[in-house]
Amino acid sequence: MRKVFFGLATIGIFLLICVQKPFLIIQEKPARADVIIVLSGDQKRLEKAAALYEQGYAPYVLLSKSDTKRFSVEKAVKLGVPRGRIIEEKHATSTYTNALYTKKLLERRQFQTAIVVSSDYHMQRVRLVFERVYDKSYHFLYVPYEGKWWGDMKQTLEEYIKLVGYKLGLYRFLDL
């Protein structure tokens, strides 16, 4: 009986994740902005930001946590973003600190609009955090790279857990 229960529970969780995954995705149409903020992580995020830059959506690209092997100024330059158009932020350790540290850079340059680039499954949490950290005078568009989101159930489950943690305000105490 116990095996049947766990089997049904596993199937139920799998189906719930499959049905609810699109909830995580926010995909807005890009428009002209002061800067493109790209959050560190998958290199496809950097590729999407470089493509948006090449299409003329913003004159600058801000790399949040720009000092990793897969996510660096050198990689952005190789993708076509001129070195003089890259703004670096090197200290973020989470989505929350991405927002905190990029805010300081936007304030310093008096930028008010930005396209925020991350993974599609990450965008719901990104928007939640950016809305909490920034005030209403800033305007953001959330433009993810389109990944194969249906392929990784573990990643989706982890994202839901992190999203709940952020909604509860735990991001101030944990490095989610």
Side-chain angles (χ1 to χ4, degrees), residues 117-132:
V117 175
S118 188
S119 304
D120 52 5
Y121 66 85
H122 187 221
M123 280 303 193
Q124 192 69 248
R125 185 161 45 106
V126 170
R127 182 172 67 180
L128 171 72
V129 172
F130 273 68
E131 286 177 354
R132 287 185 179 178

Side-chain angles (χ1 to χ4, degrees), residues 83-149:
R83 176 66 184 100
R85 294 298 176 164
I86 299 171
I87 303 166
E88 289 185 80
E89 182 284 302
K90 296 181 180 181
H91 305 289
T93 57
S94 66
T95 306
Y96 176 63
T97 55
N98 285 137
L100 279 179
Y101 299 146
T102 59
K103 182 179 181 187
K104 291 177 183 178
L105 294 169
L106 267 63
E107 287 173 345
R108 191 175 306 145
R109 292 183 179 249
Q110 298 180 339
F111 292 157
Q112 296 295 308
T113 59
I115 296 171
V116 183
V117 175
S118 188
S119 304
D120 52 5
Y121 66 85
H122 187 221
M123 280 303 193
Q124 192 69 248
R125 185 161 45 106
V126 170
R127 182 172 67 180
L128 171 72
V129 172
F130 273 68
E131 286 177 354
R132 287 185 179 178
V133 170
Y134 284 84
D135 62 45
K136 300 278 188 217
S137 65
Y138 292 90
H139 179 72
F140 297 104
L141 292 171
Y142 300 93
V143 181
Y145 82 86
E146 298 81 22
K148 293 181 180 176
W149 57 264

